[in-house]
Amino acid sequence: FLFVSAVEVKIEVVIPEKERSKEEMSPNGKASPLIYKVNGTTRHYHLEEHPIASNPYHNPKDVVEASVCHVKDLENGQMREVDLGCGKALLIKESGEFHAVGHKCPHYGAPLVKGVLSKGRVRCPWHGACFNISTGDIEDFPGFDSLPRFQVKIEKEKVYIRASKQALQTQRRTKMMAKCISLSNYNLSSTNVLIIGAGAAGLVCAETLRQEGFSDRIVMCTMDRHLPYDRPKLSKSMDSHPEQITLRPKEFFRTYDIEVLTEMQVAAVDIKNKTAVFKDGFKMEYNKLLIATGNTPKALSCKGKEVENVFNIRTPEDANRVVKLATSKNVVIVGASFLGMEVAAYLAERAHSVSLVELEEVPFKKFFGERVGRAVMKMFESNRVKFYMQTEVSELREQEGKLKEVVLKSGKVLRADVCVVGVGAVPATGFLKQSGINIDSKGFIMVNKMMQTNIPGVFAAGDAVTFPLALRNNKKVNIPHWQMAHMHGRIAALNMLAHGMEISTVPYLWTAMFGKSIRYAGHGEGFDDVVIQGDLDELKFVAFYTKSDEVVAVASMNYDPIVSKVAEVLSAGRTIRKRDVE
């Protein structure tokens, strides 16, 4: 069932960044915060226009050419990593033609030779990003950059690759986007596109607009003090500093006239006058609006919730502070969510003790099922994490204002110097209640397949929306994950430009704990059975989640690239039956 067709979506991105070789290394170029506003006044920075990526072969000394194999060494549908002396490339043969692109996924550096090749594209084995083998373009996410593409020629039955040394070493391709109008031509209080939120959805939207030739004003605003950064890293690599996880360096935003207003909160949206009203009274007009505000963590409602050293992880500063306070101390984590479990895994070898409190009987039961949940729990227990299941916190006790003990409803009292709360989140949409934009009973913004709200010109994306999922017969779902936010932003931008593009991507997510990753693709909500292959005790398994007779999702650990294979099948609109995997 693994012969599938490609999804035609194209994207170009910019700015080379340093190569990353390990899966959980930082996906960024170093950057310092870029603040465009002071007390509601927009300040503008100008950077001379210059091509970020010029012709890779402009300097003969920068070019290498090498014979890499005989034409008969590769069969159709095969990939091979080849060495050109100063770097490697991925050589692909499909339908009798050879292609050569970068061999590492630009997202976290996964070896693409271990990925899935299907109908003109290769899918990353780690996190599911897809690249066109002819152009190197990224066609599904996560990630912001495309692959470099290299010249291939055949002479006397030998395959030669000609490549820029720089492209071989950076393993990512950048392309000059539309040259933008100088900011000095704009009216400072109005904008053509306003993006509320500066996560993956907002940034991909802004980049896509520029890639598609949009040359009017783009403004992103965020309550955060930083430029857009890799938020999933906050719980997986908690001592990361903001400049280490920035998605784009500040020069990028200057070069492409994407304004970023930091520490700016929108208090209301006036759809009649197409105006956003900020908390400090500043008003900004828009022609098109993207709402990508994400979610707000739930707080504990128990006695003593105001005690010091109790954290939600929302910012790099939160994560850094927790690591500092937790080192050689007692940590209690409330909630066996993805965030809670990742934080527990990160702190296990740094803290004196890590205790995890959860209402359910098994971590991840609703998401991964009981058997996979128990296997994960066992892995944590072997790494000194203590679980207190089927109970909740009744009180946080302090000594001299700081947390000292966490009291559970079971009566157990846990010593605690720091507490991390990961009990879920609610959409950050309170400011829209009187706006006229349709919001459901849980606070999610309702959008159609083009990420449009009920209001013309107003789009929404990311964790705060429910949208029709093609994979599940257009059921309205909320999927608060990194890859999905990227695609939402892309689709919203294309439809701001009236491209009529509908979302059809397959959800793909991952979690990393104790150096091991669980990959997941599909949407398993409401699954009624789990078919497991492999060995749960050895943590080498694949789990297929079925509803009636159909596979609706898959998860794996140490079983690559099975999740990417299934994602490719599902993306082609094909059904996998339960009998196919039993």
Side-chain angles (χ1 to χ4, degrees), residues 75-124:
E75 299 289 334
N76 278 324
Q78 278 193 317
M79 301 187 287
R80 178 182 290 186
E81 214 174 74
V82 293
D83 197 334
L84 277 70
C86 62
K88 293 180 180 179
L90 182 69
L91 181 66
I92 300 162
K93 187 177 183 182
E94 193 172 65
S95 303
E97 289 188 12
F98 286 92
H99 307 270
V101 292
H103 75 291
K104 284 187 175 182
C105 178
H107 178 229
Y108 278 1
L112 292 174
V113 72
K114 294 183 179 178
V116 179
L117 176 65
S118 174
K119 298 285 177 75
R121 69 181 194 173
V122 58
R123 186 183 279 267
C124 171

Side-chain angles (χ1 to χ4, degrees), residues 176-370:
M176 192 65 180
M177 296 194 286
K179 188 176 173 70
C180 305
I181 297 167
S182 166
L183 288 177
S184 59
N185 295 344
Y186 300 138
N187 176 336
L188 295 188
S189 66
S190 71
T191 182
N192 280 63
V193 174
L194 174 62
I195 298 169
I196 306 176
L203 180 56
V204 171
C205 179
E207 290 198 16
T208 302
L209 289 169
R210 288 288 184 244
Q211 290 153 11
E212 294 295 319
F214 180 79
S215 60
D216 285 353
R217 193 174 183 213
I218 300 173
V219 177
M220 299 174 71
C221 62
T222 173
M223 288 167 61
D224 220 308
R225 58 191 287 194
H226 306 294
L227 289 176
Y229 57 85
D230 189 346
R231 192 178 291 278
K233 296 281 287 184
L234 295 184
S235 52
K236 296 180 179 79
S237 181
M238 297 178 69
D239 55 2
S240 298
H241 295 293
E243 62 272 13
Q244 294 175 306
I245 57 173
T246 304
L247 295 169
R248 292 295 190 198
K250 61 184 176 183
E251 292 79 14
F252 173 93
F253 296 94
R254 294 177 184 174
T255 302
Y256 298 109
D257 284 356
I258 298 168
E259 296 170 64
V260 183
L261 310 185
T262 57
E263 298 179 279
M264 286 284 272
Q265 183 175 357
V266 175
V269 173
D270 178 348
I271 58 169
K272 188 179 175 186
N273 296 304
K274 290 193 165 186
T275 302
V277 182
F278 289 81
K279 201 174 181 181
D280 63 3
F282 183 62
K283 292 183 180 179
M284 184 173 281
E285 294 172 20
Y286 62 82
N287 288 338
K288 296 281 195 297
L289 175 68
L290 178 73
I291 302 164
T293 44
N295 54 36
T296 304
K298 289 180 184 173
L300 293 178
S301 56
C302 62
K303 185 180 173 184
K305 61 183 179 184
E306 305 302 328
V307 170
E308 257 188 71
N309 297 346
V310 178
F311 294 86
N312 291 114
I313 307 285
R314 268 312 275 176
T315 66
E317 288 78 12
D318 291 338
N320 295 172
R321 184 101 178 103
V322 167
V323 172
K324 194 174 178 182
L325 288 169
T327 303
S328 302
K329 295 292 177 66
N330 301 300
V331 180
V332 171
I333 294 161
V334 185
S337 57
F338 281 100
L339 180 138
M341 294 288 277
E342 288 169 2
V343 168
Y346 190 81
L347 296 178
E349 60 185 37
R350 293 165 176 82
H352 174 69
S353 71
V354 175
S355 303
L356 206 147
V357 180
E358 166 59 35
L359 260 174
E360 292 281 343
E361 58 184 317
V362 177
F364 299 133
K365 184 179 177 181
K366 286 179 183 170
F367 202 86
F368 290 136
E370 186 170 348

